[in-house]
Amino acid sequence: MELKSQVEVEAKFSVTSDTVVPDLTTIMGVEQIMSTKVHHLSAVYYDTEDLRLTRSKITLRRRTGGTDDGWHIKFPGKTGRLEIHHPIDRGTKIPEEIHSMVRSIVRDEPLSPIAQVDNERHETLLGDAAGTVVAEFCDDHVSATSLKSDTATSWREWEVEVTPAAPSTLIAAATEVLTRAGAAASKSPSKLAMALGPDLPTEPMVDNNLDPNSPTAGVIAALKRNRDKLLAYDPRVRRDEWDSVHQMRVATRELRSHLQSFASILAGTHHKDVSEELKHLAATLGVARDAEVIAERFKDLCEQHPSGIIDAASGKQLHDDMLAEYAAAHQKVVAALNDDRYLRLLDELDELIAHPQELADPDPTPASTHVLLEQLRKSYKRLMKLHNKAMSDWDGRSSLRPQQEQKFHNVRKAAKKLRYTTEAVGDATDIPTGQLYRACKQLQEVLGNFQDSITSREKLLAKSHEAFKRGENTFIYGVLYETEVELSRNIMQDYPAAMAAVTQAYQRL
């Protein structure tokens, strides 16, 4: 069953029981009241026993009444909360489509009711001069019970949620009018938080108690950042959002690179096992990522080819073929994310971050900082060794042979590792590594574009053989192949300057 989603942009206000709703048409951007209705809503919120979803600022509820009854998940976002809906079936069992969206957070822990919120909602739709709904104003009279401690509470609040048709200033204008009427900006992030009251968790589940100035703390901070990114992109990958597979793969590879680069700081062998599992996950994501990139690349090549000899039907067929490959690869990714192997990897990452094994003498002394800098030096030394090897048989102008292309692919991987190492050193010390980090990123982009061109050429060659066997015209494949050869040659013209920027940034440290 297809899920529905929307980005929720709203403002919440606390009001007393006798606060009078002002004239809402005095809000700049609102010209008329479109309708007013009263809804009786009842929502049951679900979470694990240790409130993993609540700690992650994710809410899962089953709500009845109103215009959008059903199962709802809300995820935090930069511009608003993403809300995903699933219709209510019989019973109260959480639908698999909904459960899968939070599986990376809850793992094997059961989800059960933690709070019930009942609400008498007075809903007013606000319109502009043309009669287009620009916002929804809700006057909510709420009674709630925390099922964790059987504690009841009640309150009144106002909400203003804007629609895509609203002017960008409407939330600010509504805030001005409502606060003048006696409302105050709500200090509670959600009705669930109000319902839980003292049962709302305020501390992290586990604190590793590391000295924040120690080298280990810096490495663990870098691991945690990418672990959190991995978890954040998990539901986006399941929803097949654009670029989500790529971002999840980046987080996976960064995690693995940190574990390899700073193995001398993390004692024991547990991190090596985690690294191998991350490698397996990255490989699965990589197949889908390559197909996604090549599909868009083929589309652009066909549409923008200067010759005009590639007909729309041929271009569409090539693009559709790659989309089909991506769809199949994406299904394998989702299957991997539902597999116990992936869930155990997440458990192991949590354990590594929460209980890292430090080497002896982890104090933040100059000698300890030197351990980090030594890793940086080794990463840079390896990059330069591979760079010199790649440049030894390339004049910087002609096209590269396959063996030479592989050498630059190795340079790209080394640049990536140096970038990740630089990031961790910056986290753990006061050394200004930002310039080196940015230079490595730029070098990665140059070599990444070059590698995408190579991957595209290889796929075109394979597709041409398949088309030939089917008795089809393979002319389009040859044209696009030569186009990619020229593009890759042009891309590599930026390589010397990008590498020079890395060298200069490193030397300044």
Side-chain angles (χ1 to χ4, degrees):
M1 183 176 294
E2 184 177 355
L3 301 174
K4 295 182 180 179
S5 63
Q6 66 182 44
V7 176
E8 185 182 70
V9 181
E10 64 181 15
K12 295 176 179 288
F13 304 88
S14 299
V15 291
T16 63
S17 60
D18 57 354
T19 305
V20 178
V21 176
D23 181 358
L24 300 176
T25 60
T26 61
I27 299 173
M28 187 175 296
V30 176
E31 298 295 333
Q32 55 183 308
I33 304 298
M34 304 298 295
S35 65
T36 299
K37 295 180 180 177
V38 177
H39 302 288
H40 294 277
L41 313 175
S42 183
V44 175
Y45 289 80
Y46 290 76
D47 206 339
T48 61
E49 177 64 26
D50 53 8
L51 301 180
R52 297 186 179 190
L53 297 181
T54 305
R55 293 173 191 273
S56 302
K57 297 180 172 55
I58 298 171
T59 57
L60 166 58
R61 71 188 181 196
R62 182 183 186 274
R63 189 166 79 179
T64 57
T67 58
D68 64 345
D69 58 347
W71 290 94
H72 303 164
I73 299 181
K74 292 187 180 183
F75 293 96
K78 292 181 179 179
T79 59
R81 289 171 65 82
L82 176 68
E83 185 171 336
I84 297 176
H85 294 186
H86 186 285
I88 291 179
D89 296 322
R90 293 181 180 179
T92 58
K93 182 180 179 181
I94 301 173
E96 175 57 27
E97 295 90 339
I98 289 291
H99 200 162
S100 68
M101 289 292 160
V102 295
R103 183 163 284 120
S104 64
I105 303 293
V106 303
R107 317 283 165 80
D108 299 324
E109 294 298 312
L111 290 165
S112 57
I114 60 166
Q116 179 167 335
V117 175
D118 297 315
N119 180 14
E120 181 183 291
R121 166 165 288 180
H122 298 250
E123 174 193 272
T124 303
L125 299 183
L126 311 178
D128 59 15
T132 301
V133 174
V134 294
E136 177 184 279
F137 171 80
C138 297
D139 182 4
D140 290 341
H141 302 258
V142 187
S143 59
T145 301
S146 170
L147 303 179
K148 300 286 289 181
S149 58
D150 199 28
T151 304
T153 185
S154 61
W155 70 93
R156 183 185 177 203
E157 68 180 28
W158 292 345
E159 290 184 7
V160 176
E161 181 178 347
V162 298
T163 72
S168 60
T169 57
L170 197 143
I171 286 284
T175 298
E176 181 180 353
V177 170
L178 297 179
T179 53
R180 199 162 51 232
S186 176
K187 296 181 180 179
S188 177
S190 66
K191 289 183 174 63
L192 174 60
M194 290 285 288
L196 289 175
D199 297 324
L200 184 70
T202 57
E203 299 295 329
M205 290 184 63
V206 178
D207 187 355
N208 55 39
N209 293 318
L210 291 173
D211 184 325
N213 296 315
S214 70
T216 304
V219 175
I220 294 300
L223 293 176
K224 184 178 183 301
R225 179 169 53 249
N226 282 296
R227 188 279 312 272
D228 292 347
K229 185 178 178 182
L230 193 71
L231 296 178
Y233 274 98
D234 177 292
R236 300 182 191 183
V237 168
R238 295 173 188 272
R239 295 194 300 270
D240 200 12
E241 289 187 10
W242 167 250
D243 203 42
S244 59
V245 170
H246 171 57
Q247 293 301 329
M248 190 175 190
R249 185 189 183 202
V250 168
T252 302
R253 296 174 84 171
E254 284 193 26
L255 278 165
R256 184 164 183 259
S257 180
H258 285 321
L259 290 173
Q260 292 176 328
S261 296
F262 297 103
S264 63
I265 293 176
L266 300 171
T269 60
H270 180 61
H271 61 277
K272 295 180 181 179
D273 298 331
V274 175
S275 179
E276 284 303 306
E277 287 302 304
L278 288 168
K279 180 180 180 181
H280 172 75
L281 176 60
T284 304
L285 292 165
V287 175
R289 168 60 179 166
D290 287 347
E292 182 181 43
V293 169
I294 294 173
E296 289 305 303
R297 195 173 184 92
F298 282 178
K299 182 174 182 290
D300 292 340
L301 285 173
C302 292
E303 291 178 351
Q304 300 172 15
H305 199 277
S307 67
I309 59 177
I310 300 176
D311 64 281
S314 297
K316 184 177 185 303
Q317 178 180 341
L318 190 58
H319 182 238
D320 289 349
D321 284 349
M322 285 310 304
L323 286 181
E325 285 194 23
Y326 169 74
H330 182 263
Q331 286 183 350
K332 291 182 179 180
V333 168
V334 173
L337 298 185
N338 286 329
D339 192 85
D340 282 346
R341 183 174 184 175
Y342 169 68
L343 299 182
R344 297 295 73 77
L345 167 61
L346 297 179
D347 287 342
E348 291 170 359
L349 271 172
D350 288 349
E351 178 65 18
L352 181 63
I353 292 170
H355 303 107
Q357 291 179 289
E358 294 186 289
L359 291 178
D361 190 25
D363 295 330
T365 63
S368 298
T369 300
H370 177 72
V371 173
L372 290 170
L373 295 180
E374 180 62 15
Q375 299 303 320
L376 186 65
R377 186 191 69 80
K378 288 181 179 179
S379 296
Y380 176 75
K381 184 178 179 180
R382 175 167 176 75
L383 172 65
M384 296 312 299
K385 179 180 179 180
L386 292 172
H387 162 68
N388 291 332
K389 186 180 292 187
M391 293 297 295
S392 64
D393 54 359
W394 183 54
D395 60 13
R397 295 183 298 277
S398 59
S399 296
L400 291 161
R401 299 187 303 276
Q403 297 89 337
Q404 295 170 315
E405 291 172 345
Q406 180 59 44
K407 291 179 180 179
F408 281 101
H409 181 53
N410 294 337
V411 172
R412 179 193 176 208
K413 291 190 289 186
K416 188 180 300 182
K417 179 162 289 189
L418 176 59
R419 175 189 169 196
Y420 298 158
T421 304
T422 299
E423 180 183 45
V425 170
D427 284 341
T429 71
D430 58 359
I431 297 174
T433 59
Q435 186 176 6
L436 179 57
Y437 178 88
R438 291 188 293 272
C440 290
K441 184 178 181 180
Q442 178 58 35
L443 178 60
Q444 267 186 257
E445 289 180 1
V446 171
L447 292 175
N449 290 334
F450 179 64
Q451 186 61 37
D452 286 345
S453 181
I454 294 172
T455 305
S456 175
R457 286 185 352 230
E458 292 173 347
K459 181 61 69 172
L460 284 166
L461 189 59
K463 289 287 185 185
S464 71
H465 291 324
E466 294 170 6
F468 180 78
K469 291 179 180 178
R470 295 193 298 265
E472 299 174 1
N473 190 329
T474 60
F475 175 74
I476 181 177
Y477 300 101
V479 171
L480 295 180
Y481 188 96
E482 285 304 311
T483 300
E484 284 287 23
V485 169
E486 183 64 25
L487 284 173
S488 64
R489 184 185 297 118
N490 293 338
I491 289 168
M492 286 301 288
Q493 298 308 305
D494 294 330
Y495 175 79
M499 178 57 77
V502 172
T503 300
Q504 291 169 6
Y506 178 79
Q507 290 173 347
R508 284 175 181 161
L509 290 180

